Amino acid sequence: MGNKIYFYTIDCPACNVLEQKLIRKNVEFEKVNDLSILREKGLEVFPVLEVENKMLSYSEAIKWVNSL
């Protein structure tokens, strides 16, 4: 994986599930929970995973992680 992966979170239950899945799959990611950055990105629903400049919703992110 050449591009950096960003994990946008507000530490909600779904966020925690996705984070644990990422950790179990040994995915390197940068956790972003700074509210000013989240607002700047226009994010309103969490968690969001940014992979290769594509924003993945929770269900898309879970599918992506499970495919690894």
Side-chain angles (χ1 to χ4, degrees), residues 33-49:
N33 57 5
D34 181 319
L35 290 178
S36 63
I37 294 171
L38 300 178
R39 280 191 209 107
E40 182 182 300
K41 291 262 182 198
L43 301 174
E44 296 178 358
V45 179
F46 298 92
V48 173
L49 198 62

Side-chain angles (χ1 to χ4, degrees), residues 15-64:
C15 297
N16 296 334
V17 168
L18 180 54
E19 184 172 18
Q20 288 307 308
K21 283 184 167 289
L22 290 165
I23 291 168
R24 280 196 296 274
K25 291 281 192 165
N26 296 313
V27 175
E28 290 186 30
F29 61 92
E30 182 174 331
K31 184 174 180 177
V32 181
N33 57 5
D34 181 319
L35 290 178
S36 63
I37 294 171
L38 300 178
R39 280 191 209 107
E40 182 182 300
K41 291 262 182 198
L43 301 174
E44 296 178 358
V45 179
F46 298 92
V48 173
L49 198 62
E50 184 176 351
V51 180
E52 297 177 3
N53 298 316
K54 183 177 180 198
M55 300 298 235
L56 303 178
S57 67
Y58 175 69
S59 61
E60 292 169 329
I62 292 291
K63 287 178 189 172
W64 181 80

